[in-house]
Amino acid sequence: MESCRALILDDEDDLRELIALTLEPMGVQCVPAAKLAQAKTLLEDGSRYQFCITDMRLPDGDGLELVAYIQRLHPDIPVAVITAHGNVETAVEALKLGAFDFVSKPFDIATLRHLVNQARKLAPLPDGRENTNHRSDLIGRSPAMEHVRAMIRKLARSQAPVLVSGESGTGKEVVARLIHAHGPRADRPFIPVNCGAIPAELMESEFFGHKRGAFTGANTDKQGLFQAAEGGTLFLDEVAELPPPMQVKLLRAIQERAVRPVGAAHEQPVDVRILSASHQDLVRMVHEGRFRQDLYYRLNVIELRLPPLRERPEDIEPLCAHLLGRLAGDHPCPRLSARALDGLRTYPFPGNIRELENILERAWTLSEGQTIDVDDLQLPDTCTAPSPHQHVTQVSDLERYLESLEKEAIEAALLACQHNKTAAAEKLGISFRALRYRLKKLGLD
């Protein structure tokens, strides 16, 4: 690994010396600073620094001020902060300001080395060349998608937990994978988990693993999702579906960076970055008491909202070209008529990109020839709201009327997905567990 220079800011001589003795064998030249003003002067003297480590408490300021300063004037330099033990709030604030990670005092040598290895993967090379490839697989050049791309580049450099929010079908897992792939953990596992698909009684074992004999049927030790994601990223999709007891356990795992397998006597340290996603309004769920506020703030250190497809109609054409090309494979790629494109641009897409893909696949299958016309798309017209001049049917029993609409929508989704309940739940924008509940309630199971 190439040698590099690092700025080390701490007012304790012994700690600066310890850091230097640890990092120099790794090929890191440590440039010390004891005060905030001295660190700023060193940053402006023309020397290149591959990363910076700063303490929080300084004689003439604090580490948060340096994090903000570097983020504003030297955003290519990763900066990590040293915090007092257990001061999670300060660490979270540092991550929000742009720090890529933090380490708590007293720290061990292995933890410091790991942090530095992560920083070097993010840092610019000594000659100033970019160290990472930020190619994106997102389709579309609308201002909304350019903003998402810029956020992915920024979030990939951090170790902060990220909440990816957006309607069902907007591509939340795709974005989570890109954040992982463009960051320092790219060579480690990306483990996605749908929180709504795991039975509540099995969640603790699935997330944290279990020891042999921990419960009936536990015939061998089992690795949990946290352990499987060691060194990489754990993506919690539909995190709003976690039941309250599991929310408590997840909060502790995130705060302590450790998990305790079911039946184990001691916690095991884990190094995992947490990304999560939900199409539900978590703020409302917090206000209603259905989601823990402290867990929400740990998961939502930074939020990345994905725009629905109806907010970026200019991306419809490139998306269609990409999706049709993928559907056609080795066959000649079909094209959309002007009328078909106009129809897609004005359709509201409640199911977003996932629905667009389903519409195109159906149209390609049913159309004759190489041109898909608007009639081939069979766009639903039930999603458009009635105008003030349209006649609205009078309803005498609102609850029964709403149940009939819900039943009709579920039956249509099951039919469209060939009675695959998991796919139908995704199409409807609800969790698998919620679909099972509705099927039982409506007598459809």
Side-chain angles (χ1 to χ4, degrees):
M1 185 175 285
E2 295 184 62
S3 62
C4 66
R5 286 162 56 87
L7 177 61
I8 310 299
L9 174 57
D10 198 292
D11 62 339
E12 296 182 36
D13 295 340
D14 291 345
L15 189 57
R16 290 200 309 272
E17 185 176 354
L18 171 64
I19 292 174
L21 288 172
T22 303
L23 302 191
E24 284 172 359
M26 300 172 66
V28 178
Q29 177 191 353
C30 294
V31 179
K35 294 185 177 181
L36 182 62
Q38 183 186 1
K40 290 181 178 179
T41 300
L42 288 169
L43 285 165
E44 301 308 325
D45 70 359
S47 301
R48 290 191 177 276
Y49 296 95
Q50 274 63 58
F51 63 92
C52 171
I53 298 176
T54 178
D55 196 5
M56 288 300 301
R57 300 184 64 180
L58 301 166
D60 55 343
D62 63 47
L64 292 180
E65 185 178 343
L66 183 65
V67 172
Y69 180 85
I70 291 177
Q71 183 69 16
R72 186 173 69 255
L73 298 178
H74 305 279
D76 58 330
I77 300 178
V79 54
V81 296
I82 302 172
T83 67
H85 177 68
N87 195 345
V88 179
E89 286 73 20
T90 303
V92 168
E93 184 62 26
L95 292 172
K96 286 184 176 180
L97 286 172
F100 84 92
D101 208 350
F102 66 92
V103 60
S104 298
K105 292 181 180 179
F107 53 82
D108 57 54
I109 300 303
T111 300
L112 180 61
R113 286 174 177 156
H114 174 73
L115 181 143
V116 169
N117 283 329
Q118 296 290 82
R120 294 181 72 163
K121 292 178 182 179
L122 292 170
L125 298 173
D127 60 4
R129 289 180 291 117
E130 185 70 24
N131 199 17
T132 54
N133 174 18
H134 291 312
R135 178 185 60 83
S136 174
D137 295 321
L138 296 177
I139 308 298
R141 290 293 175 185
S142 62
M145 291 312 292
E146 291 296 352
H147 172 72
V148 171
R149 283 191 183 87
M151 286 295 293
I152 288 173
R153 289 194 292 269
K154 184 178 294 186
L155 297 176
R157 296 174 57 82
S158 170
Q159 298 300 298
V162 176
L163 174 65
V164 186
S165 62
E167 296 177 6
S168 181
T170 48
K172 294 185 286 294
E173 183 173 339
V174 171
V175 166
R177 287 184 181 276
L178 288 171
I179 293 172
H180 169 79
H182 293 155
R185 297 175 178 266
D187 58 345
R188 303 299 297 163
F190 176 90
I191 305 295
V193 53
N194 186 330
C195 298
I198 304 175
E201 62 273 12
L202 298 179
M203 274 194 171
E204 187 174 1
S205 172
E206 288 295 317
F207 275 91
F208 308 138
H210 63 247
K211 306 297 287 184
R212 179 183 177 186
F215 49 84
T216 304
N219 299 321
T220 60
D221 289 355
K222 179 187 175 182
Q223 184 183 63
L225 293 165
F226 269 85
Q227 294 94 327
E230 175 65 26
T233 301
L234 182 62
F235 174 55
L236 306 176
D237 198 8
E238 297 304 341
V239 71
E241 297 298 324
L242 288 173
M246 192 61 208
Q247 292 180 29
V248 177
K249 293 181 172 66
L250 178 61
L251 175 64
R252 177 173 176 79
I254 293 172
Q255 290 184 161
E256 301 300 323
R257 299 189 180 190
V259 299
R260 179 179 293 178
V262 179
H266 304 287
E267 289 185 332
Q268 301 175 356
V270 289
D271 171 32
V272 171
R273 185 182 187 184
I274 301 292
L275 304 179
S276 55
S278 177
H279 74 277
Q280 298 193 52
D281 186 344
L282 286 180
V283 174
R284 186 180 68 185
M285 292 183 68
V286 168
H287 289 159
E288 294 173 352
R290 294 188 291 135
F291 199 84
R292 292 184 63 96
Q293 185 179 54
D294 45 9
L295 177 58
Y296 171 74
Y297 287 128
R298 292 293 177 265
L299 295 174
N300 189 23
V301 172
I302 304 172
E303 182 174 3
L304 174 55
R305 175 187 176 272
L306 299 188
L309 192 51
R310 62 182 171 274
E311 289 183 7
R312 50 188 188 105
E314 60 267 57
D315 291 337
I316 292 289
E317 187 169 1
L319 274 169
C320 288
H322 172 76
L323 293 172
L324 286 172
R326 193 168 68 187
L327 286 170
D330 296 331
H331 300 282
C333 184
R335 69 177 190 88
L336 291 167
S337 70
R339 291 177 65 235
L341 266 175
D342 287 343
L344 290 171
R345 289 193 186 103
T346 57
Y347 178 64
F349 283 106
N352 293 291
I353 299 172
R354 188 180 297 125
E355 184 181 12
L356 173 62
E357 186 170 14
N358 290 339
I359 287 171
L360 292 177
E361 184 173 10
R362 181 179 63 226
W364 180 61
T365 303
L366 299 178
S367 65
E368 298 180 2
Q370 286 300 111
T371 301
I372 296 175
D373 204 354
V374 66
D375 294 334
D376 299 319
L377 298 174
Q378 300 181 20
L379 294 176
D381 57 7
T382 55
C383 296
T384 56
S387 71
H389 305 293
Q390 286 180 302
H391 173 71
V392 179
T393 304
Q394 296 297 314
V395 178
S396 57
D397 188 335
L398 180 61
E399 185 174 350
R400 184 175 298 175
Y401 176 67
L402 292 175
E403 280 191 359
S404 69
L405 291 178
E406 185 177 15
K407 186 174 182 179
E408 182 180 331
I410 290 175
E411 287 176 334
L414 287 169
L415 184 61
C417 298
Q418 298 179 327
H419 292 276
N420 182 317
K421 292 179 182 177
T422 301
E426 290 183 355
K427 187 177 181 65
L428 291 164
I430 61 177
S431 69
F432 179 75
R433 185 182 300 147
L435 177 61
R436 284 193 306 179
Y437 169 79
R438 285 174 165 84
L439 288 172
K440 185 173 181 180
K441 174 186 172 185
L442 298 171
L444 295 174
D445 58 344

